[in-house]
């Protein structure tokens, strides 16, 4: 009788929100405010228009859009049509956007007017381009009165494809399933604490892992999405105050924007701030605490639906000093409730090819691996890359870390970012955190640069706080007081800003290339 | 690559609780207090001992036990061994217990000393009986040092069998799956609001639908179970106060015990009280509100893992009067987040055999049907009953109700409890609620009794409050002021207590039989 199990799909969340809280506010986007019932209608209309446009089951539909109502509707409407959503990073070059449209065989490309304008002169393989600002209503007029079922036949069918940021090589298309999206959304709902009445601010791009599945999780709780098109301090604070925001997410750089904006002020009601993308520095942790907000640190990759693990605070941490707590909080923690265990494994597998865990001593470095419902189905049209990523039956993150005795994982570095100096591994993240713990340091990145004697040596790029006058010697001494001497950078460059990817990660690759070039 | 999806199982919840909050309190049972780490160890030890005893994959293991630590451990340890848990209602007769052991082919029967003693002289088909009070440690000594994986190969494998109360005929064995238990536990966690730090009091029997899946849901949140072996007002209040309880569940009769106990007092911190089994009367709703607790009304059956739907309060209800709110709150609501939609369908199907919804007008009566992950896999070894229950692809509850214009379902009666008088359907629940709204009425039940002229007529049994002196005429007038005249009982019997099943439901069948007999 198991055939009676209903296939898992996040479409159910919108069906239910519209059933149970039809008149509650679903989305706020500037002056536009719609209810759950209207959001469901909008998804139905989009789905019907997509089908009327000849898009078949499993075919892709691309969106090049900011955090706007239409992109949120698409997270339900596109899969409701039986199609697959490709939400494209808006900060990519025209050529990269064209590549993603071609690689995903997207049939239609929807986009913001100005983002589409930037594609002028680029060859696009899509059959149709729809301008969300000028042509969307006309497109939607193709819809009939049909109401599609909020169902999917096969829960392992692809619901979205998210392209990796591809710091090296071509971006890869990460396939999420209806089942994975459903479960990860429930996991986010639990760990972020979404309930009916929650008000979520979109400081995170929706095109980034479908907003870590919060596109679906917020609606699962019949809570309210508040759109934000550009991450600016004044806009964030206006919405936090006026829209009574109690949840938001972002990379640490977004948190810095939040905490250092002129409008920043202590909050008199709860705000949960979830961060990922890089371990939050002690400075950021302290700043968020000073606002009166609660910081939640999670960790994951595009391949893991966004967050896979959470650094869940433990009861015994309540007796730690702020500094001790910061160290605990900067770790990546353990698998979320809907994920499997997270492991750290050795480079060498056992004789039978199985993966061998490192010692849980906080010292032995290995690769972080994950599996299960929190991990993608595979890379679109790339069997080789998929097989390589899943060698030994676990997804290989390419991230290096250690397993602590308490079962929490700590990320040390991306495999390609590790600095090998005199045969010793140096975690650039570790050095970055040591530098970031100095009160005059606002932002920092460490990379490995060639060194005749040692092979490589760490080099730091530091952004200081306004009015700070710290010098290199002081910072090096600060690091040496905290880490082994060989880990201290012997060269520190002071700069105004660090180059970052669209998702807030420092582009270490670009810095390394600049070093090599000159 | 979908093969990498990990099969869903609530075993993962204990694995994770022991990983993330190893030293947090998992279970309190009298003087015994164990941590999540110790609970995981206990489940491993039980599982190993069960396997060492020759119990094979998919074989059944029965427990006849009160709400004690060992039964909670069994909810993880038995499935960890690959076996299937049968938690038997402790209030059944020895013959019924023997029947369930035989029908489920249980290999081992574990039980409380006094409950096993009551089986003396009864033929039991099990190979082994283990007294939890005197022989359990010896049984557990069979365990080896093996650590079993917190995994299951097939998520649609049976995890437990729960026997229906069987007011008519033999009890049927309802099969729950690992997948269903996992999803329903996540649903309970969300709707009941379990988080790490929550403290849950076991006022609900664990043998009743595996405690509505809260056996697993509380541990999913790495929260704390507080056992309670007998539902007495003094014991409840001592634990609520001393153990800082913030969640409990029970049938309305349990809530009445809670609210009317000598120790009852207003609470100065949150307490969520979840009720099911019968619509809470306005009196109970008011009493729980007066305690300062939050009442959550859910609805389901043994076949639906306990709760399937929830009467989720809507924003607009905040402007209702207490009386208006009580009416809203007494409804059964809509499917939980992990369930499908709940429907009310006509007796006559469409020409193609599909089910036809009643008008959503709050008037047309039909049968409540459910399906999906919130519904059992089927009845153990009873293909015919399973096929009949799932006619048309939906599970037929046997409950009659209406669909309101706002999408919420209201239960009117069990199909067999409806009174047909002069060709008119009379919902006994509706009449009961009208009577219960009188301040002097403490408890009430209405049944249909034979009537020469009308076929049947409603008859009420009423328990009045202490010191109340209300008479039949007053109560009949009270009902006539609220319902159509033909629905008012023309006969009211005043009594000291109503006969109830072990799960708190009034045994209407017994009352009807007594009427027929005499």
């Amino acid at each position: 009788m198991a055939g009676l199990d209903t296939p898992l799909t996040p479409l159910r969340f919108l069906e239910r929100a519209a059933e149970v809280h039809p008149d509650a506010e679903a989305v706020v986007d500037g002056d536009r405010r719609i209810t759950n019932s209207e959001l469901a209608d909008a998804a139905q209309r989009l789905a019907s228009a997509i089908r009327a446009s000849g898009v078949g089951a499993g075919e892709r539909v691309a969106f090049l859009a900011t955090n706007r109502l239409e992109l949120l509707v698409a997270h339900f409407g596109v899969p409701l049509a039986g199609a697959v959503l490709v939400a494209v990073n808006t900060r990519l070059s025209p050529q990269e956007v064209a590549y993603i449209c071609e690689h995903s065989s997207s049939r239609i490309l929807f986009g913001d007017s100005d983002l589409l304008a930037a594609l002028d002169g680029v060859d696009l393989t899509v059959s149709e381009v729809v301008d969300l600002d000028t042509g969307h209503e006309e497109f939607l007029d193709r819809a009939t009165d049909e109401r599609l079922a909020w169902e999917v036949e096969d829960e392992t069918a692809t619901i979205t494809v998210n392209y990796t940021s591809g710091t090296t090589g071509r971006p890869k298309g990460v396939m999420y399933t209806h089942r994975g999206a459903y479960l990860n959304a429930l996991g986010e709902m639990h760990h972020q604490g979404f309930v009916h009445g929650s008000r979520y601010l979109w400081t995170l791009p929706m095109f980034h892992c479908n907003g870590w599945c919060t596109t679906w999780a917020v609606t699962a709780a019949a809570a309210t999405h508040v759109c934000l098109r550009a991450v600016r301090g004044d806009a964030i604070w206006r919405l936090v105050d006026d829209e009574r925001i109690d949840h938001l997410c972002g990379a640490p750089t977004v948190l810095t924007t939040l905490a250092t904006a002129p409008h920043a002020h202590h909050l008199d009601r709860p705000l949960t701030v979830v961060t990922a993308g890089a371990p939050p520095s002690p400075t950021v942790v302290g700043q968020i605490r000073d606002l009166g907000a609660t910081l939640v640190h999670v960790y994951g990759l595009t391949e893991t639906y966004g967050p896979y693990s959470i650094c869940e605070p433990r009861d015994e941490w309540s007796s730690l000093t702020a500094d001790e707590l910061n160290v605990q909080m900067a770790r990546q923690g353990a698998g979320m409730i809907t994920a499997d265990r997270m492991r750290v494994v050795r480079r060498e597998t056992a004789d039978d090819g199985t993966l061998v865990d490192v010692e849980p001593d906080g010292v032995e470095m290995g690769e972080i691996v994950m599996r299960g419902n929190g991990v993608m189905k595979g890379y679109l049209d790339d069997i080789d890359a998929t097989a390589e990523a899943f060698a030994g039956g676990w997804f290989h993150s390419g991230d290096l870390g250690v397993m602590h005795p308490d079962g929490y994982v700590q990320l040390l570095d991306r495999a390609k970012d590790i600095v090998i100096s005199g045969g010793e591994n140096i975690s650039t993240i570790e050095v970055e955190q040591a530098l970031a713990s100095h009160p005059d340091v606002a932002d920092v990145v460490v990379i490995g640069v060639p060194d005749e004697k040692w092979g490589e040596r760490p080099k730091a790029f530091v952004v200081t706080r306004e009015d700070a006058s710290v010098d290199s010697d002081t910072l090096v001494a600060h690091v040496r007081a905290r880490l082994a001497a060989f880990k201290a950078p012997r060269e520190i460059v002071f700069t105004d800003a660090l180059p970052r990817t669209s998702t807030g990660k420092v582009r270490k690759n670009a810095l390394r290339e600049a070093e090599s070039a000159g």
Side-chain angles (χ1 to χ4, degrees), chain A:
Chain A
M1 302 305 300
L4 287 170
D5 288 340
T6 297
L8 304 177
T9 171
L11 294 174
R12 166 66 183 145
F13 300 145
L14 180 52
E15 177 188 36
R16 184 176 192 278
E19 185 185 7
V20 175
H21 296 288
D23 300 329
E25 205 162 62
V27 189
V28 177
D29 180 8
D31 292 339
R32 299 189 291 176
R33 290 172 183 273
I34 67 168
T35 64
N36 284 309
S37 173
E38 289 163 341
L39 178 59
D41 289 346
Q44 287 281 353
R45 193 166 170 225
L46 175 62
S48 178
I50 286 173
R51 284 163 69 117
S53 306
V55 175
E59 290 196 300
R60 268 75 70 184
V61 173
F63 270 71
L64 181 67
T66 47
N67 280 349
R68 55 190 290 167
L69 171 60
E70 289 78 6
L71 182 50
L72 202 51
V73 170
H75 274 83
F76 295 95
V78 174
L80 182 63
V84 177
L85 175 67
V86 181
V88 185
N89 187 327
T90 57
R91 293 161 203 159
L92 297 181
S93 70
Q95 288 72 26
E96 288 171 310
V97 173
Y99 171 79
I100 286 172
C101 287
E102 182 179 359
H103 183 268
S104 65
S105 314
S106 285
R107 294 285 311 275
I108 310 178
L109 171 65
F110 293 83
D112 287 17
S113 268
D114 54 343
L115 296 171
L116 291 179
L119 299 179
D120 254 8
V122 175
D123 262 347
L124 288 173
T125 51
V126 298
S127 354
E128 189 171 6
V129 175
V130 179
D131 185 319
L132 292 171
D133 295 298
T134 63
H136 197 220
E137 271 305 313
E138 198 183 319
F139 177 84
L140 293 174
D141 281 344
R142 297 178 195 170
T144 66
D145 287 340
E146 68 179 333
R147 291 289 287 193
L148 298 164
W150 302 97
E151 294 172 1
V152 65
E153 275 186 32
D154 174 7
E155 68 187 25
T156 67
T158 303
I159 186 170
T160 58
V161 178
N162 288 277
Y163 279 79
T164 58
S165 48
T167 47
T168 55
R170 288 291 206 179
K172 294 193 281 288
V174 173
M175 293 185 287
Y176 292 0
T177 67
H178 281 260
R179 172 184 168 104
Y182 177 94
L183 291 169
N184 282 278
L186 286 186
E188 288 298 321
M189 184 173 73
H190 174 61
H191 290 295
Q192 298 209 30
F194 298 143
V195 296
H196 174 63
S198 295
R199 297 181 68 86
Y200 179 85
L201 181 63
W202 272 102
T203 41
L204 180 73
M206 291 182 198
F207 61 71
H208 189 202
C209 312
N210 304 119
W212 305 352
C213 297
T214 55
T215 41
W216 301 301
V218 170
T219 295
T224 305
H225 300 266
V226 178
C227 295
L228 176 77
R229 300 207 184 183
V231 176
R232 291 198 325 269
D234 55 345
I236 293 175
W237 278 102
R238 187 177 52 73
L239 290 171
V240 165
D241 291 336
D242 293 355
E243 294 291 338
R244 307 180 315 286
I245 297 301
D246 48 25
H247 289 82
L248 61 84
C249 300
T253 178
V254 173
L255 275 47
T256 301
T257 302
L258 175 77
T260 60
H263 301 80
H265 60 80
H266 190 84
L267 294 156
D268 55 4
R269 53 193 168 67
L271 173 67
T272 300
V273 173
V274 181
T275 194
S281 72
T283 311
V284 168
V285 174
Q287 285 171 333
I288 297 300
R289 194 185 296 136
D290 289 347
L291 293 176
T294 302
L295 184 66
V296 177
H297 178 209
V298 298
Y299 160 74
L301 302 90
T302 304
E303 286 87 343
T304 62
Y305 292 81
Y308 180 95
S309 71
I310 176 170
C311 184
E312 201 164 316
R314 290 188 171 171
D315 304 347
E316 55 267 31
W317 294 0
S318 61
S319 60
L320 299 182
T321 64
D323 282 351
E324 289 168 338
L325 186 60
N326 292 347
V327 172
Q328 299 291 337
M329 286 285 293
R331 300 184 303 164
Q332 282 59 42
M336 297 197 326
I337 190 158
T338 45
D340 283 27
R341 278 191 67 231
M342 185 156 67
R343 295 172 67 190
V344 181
V345 299
R346 295 180 175 157
R347 181 173 290 270
E348 290 75 33
T349 58
D351 289 343
D352 63 355
T354 55
L355 304 174
V356 181
D357 290 82
V358 299
E359 285 298 317
D361 56 7
V363 174
E364 186 185 351
M365 202 186 293
E367 185 176 12
I368 299 173
V369 298
M370 301 96 136
R371 71 163 183 195
N373 300 296
V375 177
M376 66 167 179
K377 180 173 166 181
Y379 296 114
L380 179 66
D381 290 341
D382 200 338
I383 292 172
D384 291 345
T386 302
E388 189 187 338
F390 283 103
W394 288 70
F395 169 70
H396 291 259
S397 67
D399 283 348
L400 301 178
V402 295
M403 176 65 79
H404 283 277
D406 67 355
Y408 275 25
V409 170
Q410 183 186 354
L411 171 70
L412 293 182
D413 229 327
R414 292 289 303 171
K416 65 181 184 304
D417 290 339
I418 206 87
V419 178
I420 304 176
S421 188
E424 297 280 359
N425 286 338
I426 302 176
S427 155
T428 56
I429 291 180
E430 194 177 26
V431 182
E432 283 160 11
Q433 294 208 310
L435 284 164
S437 70
H438 191 284
D440 285 348
V441 173
D443 205 358
V444 59
V445 65
V446 173
I447 61 167
V449 295
D451 183 278
E452 286 203 6
K453 183 172 176 191
W454 304 106
E456 283 187 311
R457 61 187 160 81
K459 176 173 178 175
F461 296 79
V462 165
V463 180
T464 57
R465 291 191 191 290
E466 275 182 47
D467 308 326
S469 59
V470 70
D471 60 16
S472 283
D473 290 349
T474 310
L475 287 180
V476 169
H478 183 81
V479 173
R480 292 174 81 112
R482 282 160 180 77
L483 301 177
F486 72 90
K487 295 182 179 176
R490 268 158 296 165
E491 189 179 358
I492 294 180
V493 175
F494 293 94
T495 178
D496 289 338
L498 302 177
R500 291 187 182 277
T501 67
S502 56
T503 58
K505 289 181 187 161
V506 177
R507 296 175 58 227
K508 293 192 178 187
N509 216 39
L511 289 171
R512 275 194 295 261
E513 281 165 19
E515 288 294 318
S516 306

